Amino acid sequence: MIRGDDLRATLIGFAGALCVLAVLVWGVGIDKTIDALAGASLPVLLGIVAIAICWLGAWGMSLHTVLRVLGAPITVPAAVLVFAGATFANNVTPFGQAGGEPVSALLISRASDSEYETGLAAIASVDALNFVPSIGLALVGLGYFTTSITFGENLEYATIAVVAFAIVVPIAVVLGWRNRYRLERIAVDSLAPLLQRLGELVPRRSAPSRAALEGRIEGFFTAVERVATNPRGLVFALVFSTAGWVGLATSLWLSLFALGHTVSPAVVLVAIPTGAMASITPLPGGLGGVEAVLGALVLATTGLPLATVTAAVLIHRGATYLLPTVIGGGTAAVLADR
């Protein structure tokens, strides 16, 4: 059940995101964008929907692999549906994955009949594994562009962002893991008094003890360590993750192809991972921010008409944002009712 405050925050976030999209389309020209969309090939559009389903399936298989390593296996169809539910959570909460992961962990734990910290470790592991091929594919695309085109301002910004993520994120992960017990103490010291006060306010609910909190966090660390020390599971999860990124890139490439334009694969290999970084904006699922980044990068690397690029981005996001939101919303509703 969504609380009134959460619902209002979500609705305000969507209103802000839709305003950003409206401004983007208005700046390009509504009539021009609609004309470009009207010329899209229907068979190719159906292919884009199929590719979006394959992308969900690939990342659902990555989640399935991680859950097997954690000893909480579920069927492949269930894993795909649960991942769609996790994507739904990311798409309707601010700051993308950072905002949606707590809800995603709850959905996973209910679907797999496992502890909450196991679900949190599973989705955190999948997100971490997804980072590796995304940066790798982006660097391959940027490497191609260094030999073929002159870098414009937008491409320079993309290069800086990709390189910064490739350096900062692994360092942060390593430092965080090495200092995990210090972080555990900080978390317990911060959460215990807060939960104690909440327990006094909520009827028939008692706050967890410090020992219980420590046990939960230890369980999360143990689960993450089990995934990190299973080479076979890591390889399979990375293969599925890479397949998912290729599927997303193919969706954007086909969106341009549906409008009659063929571009270099390097264009979408750079645009898709860089656009994903924009999902950390405070808008639900990065809606508005992701579209702006994708459009800017495709425009900078292809020189296509702005209305065509905007239409292609809208087609791609329609398949990869709306589809999992609809499917995942239904999954989340069923699991929440359990």
Side-chain angles (χ1 to χ4, degrees):
M1 202 68 160
I2 298 178
R3 295 180 307 169
D5 292 343
D6 294 335
L7 180 58
R8 282 193 294 272
T10 299
L11 292 176
I12 291 172
F14 270 114
L18 292 175
C19 286
V20 172
L21 281 176
V23 170
L24 289 173
V25 175
W26 178 78
V28 173
I30 297 175
D31 292 340
K32 292 180 179 178
T33 304
I34 292 176
D35 288 343
L37 287 170
S41 168
L42 181 58
V44 179
L45 293 179
L46 294 176
I48 293 170
V49 173
I51 289 296
I53 294 173
C54 291
W55 154 64
L56 272 178
W59 281 6
M61 285 297 299
S62 181
L63 175 61
H64 177 264
T65 302
V66 170
L67 285 173
R68 287 190 63 184
V69 171
L70 293 176
I74 59 177
T75 65
V76 171
V80 174
L81 288 174
V82 171
F83 181 79
T87 306
F88 163 79
N90 293 337
N91 285 350
V92 300
T93 54
F95 302 103
Q97 292 168 333
E101 279 200 346
V103 180
S104 301
L106 180 61
L107 296 177
I108 293 168
S109 65
R110 289 190 175 183
S112 59
D113 293 323
S114 59
E115 296 292 336
Y116 177 81
E117 57 267 25
T118 300
L120 185 59
I123 193 63
S125 298
V126 170
D127 288 341
L129 289 169
N130 283 344
F131 170 80
V132 177
S134 72
I135 293 298
L137 292 173
L139 291 175
V140 169
L142 288 171
Y144 170 81
F145 284 135
T146 59
T147 63
S148 59
I149 66 173
T150 301
F151 276 41
E153 185 177 9
N154 289 331
L155 202 52
E156 288 178 355
Y157 287 149
T159 303
I160 293 171
V162 170
V163 173
F165 266 70
I167 295 173
V168 173
V169 172
I171 291 176
V173 170
V174 171
L175 290 178
W177 184 253
R178 287 182 176 178
N179 295 279
R180 60 189 181 276
Y181 296 113
R182 183 182 302 174
L183 294 176
E184 176 188 336
R185 288 194 299 272
I186 294 173
V188 172
D189 290 341
S190 302
L191 287 174
L194 176 62
L195 293 176
Q196 186 65 42
R197 286 194 293 270
L198 288 175
E200 295 171 357
L201 296 174
V202 179
R204 297 185 299 276
R205 294 288 182 180
S206 59
S209 64
R210 289 182 62 90
L213 282 175
E214 291 173 355
R216 291 275 183 174
I217 297 174
E218 285 289 340
F220 170 75
F221 287 152
T222 301
V224 171
E225 191 169 13
R226 286 181 64 182
V227 175
T229 55
N230 189 305
R232 186 172 182 273
L234 287 176
V235 169
F236 275 103
L238 283 171
V239 169
F240 290 127
S241 174
T242 303
W245 282 111
V246 172
L248 285 174
T250 303
S251 170
L252 180 57
W253 190 92
L254 285 175
S255 298
L256 291 162
F257 183 72
L259 301 177
H261 297 278
T262 303
V263 301
S264 167
V267 172
V268 294
L269 289 181
V270 172
I272 289 297
T274 309
M277 297 176 191
S279 65
I280 62 174
T281 59
L283 300 173
L287 191 63
V290 173
E291 288 78 6
V293 172
L294 289 176
L297 289 175
V298 173
L299 192 67
T301 52
T302 63
L304 293 174
L306 182 56
T308 300
V309 172
T310 303
V313 170
L314 291 177
I315 292 171
H316 163 71
R317 287 287 281 170
T320 58
Y321 181 90
L322 292 179
L323 180 67
T325 299
V326 172
I327 297 175
T331 303
V334 171
L335 290 175
D337 193 49
R338 289 182 56 179

